[in-house]
Amino acid sequence: MIKVDNISKQFKRIENDDSASKKASGAFRKNKSKAVEFMAVDGISLSAESGEILGILGPNGAGKTTLLRMIGKLMEPTSGQVVITDIEGNEITSDVEMKKHIGYLSGNTKLYHRFSVREMLEMFGDIYGMDKQAVSDKIQEISDVLDLESFIDNRIERLSTGQTQRANISRCLIHSPEIYIFDEPTLGLDILSSQSIIDFMKTEKEKGKTILYSTHYMEEAQYLCDRIIMMHHGHIVKEGTPESIMADTNTNNLRDAFKAVIDTETNIGTDVE
């Protein structure tokens, strides 16, 4: 189980300081910049249970990736806390144990290009302290689930985009984590590759796994997720089941529902990819 209590993350960005760069008459104008603090995530609380797919939706810049990185213990929040418990309900505090319980996939995860998929999985199995037979059995299981057989012994640098993404997900499976954090797992993939990943998430949910799933694809989330959190400018602007959100906004799909929520919150529409 995951419980997030009022977490925030503050960053600094560099902006042009127009007031400092105004020139005097006849003087040379020199552009200056200043550091401006902003909240990428601002006071978010949520929970995710075993056997649940929690969708996190929002446009670019909403704070989805920052939120997931804090939940996955890859980034420390400026304030608030994240509590993760194991299947028995015990809080996990050790960083080593945390890594054993989480499978994290981000859009910019890099793989070892000169390894084959099988070699990569064997390496990660060794990192997690698994014995060779357990690794071999798990690789066969993963290959069957994600349909890796036709390319599992090919070097990763030679794989297609869809094959690479399936190889990336296989890396998250080797240690049988209880929690998956997937940040845009189907971005840019063809229909068949996307469907393979969606089917996998449904299967893992049925096994009682907890899945956090960030996406731009509203139709995919509507079909797959048990609950939805909609983010905008670092805040949660709506949450509930897909059905309850559509009912509340008097719409029949999540794309229109998100636009309606943003219109209500800011009186300014937004494009959702």
Side-chain angles (χ1 to χ4, degrees), residues 57-64 216 218 231-232 258 262 270-272:
L57 311 185
N60 289 334
K64 304 187 302 297
H216 277 105
M218 299 290 174
M231 292 184 64
H232 192 55
F258 187 81
I262 298 305
T270 186
D271 291 330
V272 180

Side-chain angles (χ1 to χ4, degrees), residues 77-144:
T78 304
S79 60
Q81 66 175 346
V82 177
V83 175
I84 295 180
T85 55
D86 62 21
I87 199 166
E88 285 83 26
N90 302 311
E91 182 179 352
I92 305 167
T93 56
S94 162
D95 288 344
V96 173
E97 284 300 309
M98 190 72 67
K99 288 178 172 59
K100 292 180 179 178
H101 284 77
I102 294 176
Y104 191 103
L105 175 72
S106 69
N108 60 2
T109 301
K110 304 300 181 185
L111 301 179
Y112 300 92
H113 284 187
R114 293 190 175 276
F115 283 19
S116 71
V117 179
R118 188 186 304 276
E119 289 168 339
M120 176 193 69
L121 293 176
E122 289 172 343
M123 180 190 70
F124 277 103
D126 185 57
I127 289 172
Y128 286 112
M130 301 168 63
D131 64 60
K132 289 185 178 181
Q133 187 58 53
V135 171
S136 178
D137 292 344
K138 189 64 178 179
I139 288 174
Q140 186 58 56
E141 177 188 339
I142 292 170
S143 180
D144 293 341

Side-chain angles (χ1 to χ4, degrees), residues 52-57 205 213 215 217-230 238-258 260-261:
E52 179 179 44
I53 300 177
L54 177 64
I56 300 176
L57 311 185
K205 170 195 166 181
Y213 170 51
T215 183
Y217 301 137
M218 299 290 174
E219 294 81 3
E220 207 170 82
Q222 183 175 329
Y223 164 73
L224 186 62
C225 297
D226 299 294
R227 289 190 297 122
I228 298 289
I229 286 173
M230 292 182 169
K238 191 73 174 175
E239 58 184 304
T241 65
E243 294 76 17
S244 68
I245 290 173
M246 289 185 289
D248 287 348
T249 55
N250 195 29
T251 58
N252 57 17
N253 62 75
L254 284 181
R255 180 182 297 272
D256 290 343
F258 187 81
V261 169

Side-chain angles (χ1 to χ4, degrees), residues 154-269:
N154 292 355
R155 280 164 57 162
I156 291 169
E157 64 185 357
R158 297 175 180 170
L159 303 183
S160 69
T161 301
Q163 290 171 338
T164 301
Q165 190 70 321
R166 278 185 279 166
N168 215 339
I169 290 177
S170 72
R171 170 190 58 82
C172 300
L173 298 182
I174 192 66
H175 59 303
S176 300
E178 296 172 6
I179 296 169
Y180 294 105
I181 300 177
F182 286 163
D183 190 3
E184 304 284 358
T186 63
L187 184 64
L189 300 186
D190 60 69
I191 293 174
L192 293 179
S193 295
S194 295
Q195 190 60 49
S196 172
I197 293 170
I198 289 170
D199 290 343
F200 156 74
M201 284 191 278
K202 290 170 63 179
T203 300
E204 292 301 293
K205 170 195 166 181
E206 291 167 3
K207 293 179 182 177
K209 304 297 179 73
T210 303
I211 302 172
L212 298 187
Y213 170 51
S214 168
T215 183
H216 277 105
Y217 301 137
M218 299 290 174
E219 294 81 3
E220 207 170 82
Q222 183 175 329
Y223 164 73
L224 186 62
C225 297
D226 299 294
R227 289 190 297 122
I228 298 289
I229 286 173
M230 292 182 169
M231 292 184 64
H232 192 55
H233 295 321
H235 297 274
I236 293 177
V237 293
K238 191 73 174 175
E239 58 184 304
T241 65
E243 294 76 17
S244 68
I245 290 173
M246 289 185 289
D248 287 348
T249 55
N250 195 29
T251 58
N252 57 17
N253 62 75
L254 284 181
R255 180 182 297 272
D256 290 343
F258 187 81
K259 290 180 178 179
V261 169
I262 298 305
D263 285 344
T264 301
E265 291 289 323
T266 66
N267 294 318
I268 300 175

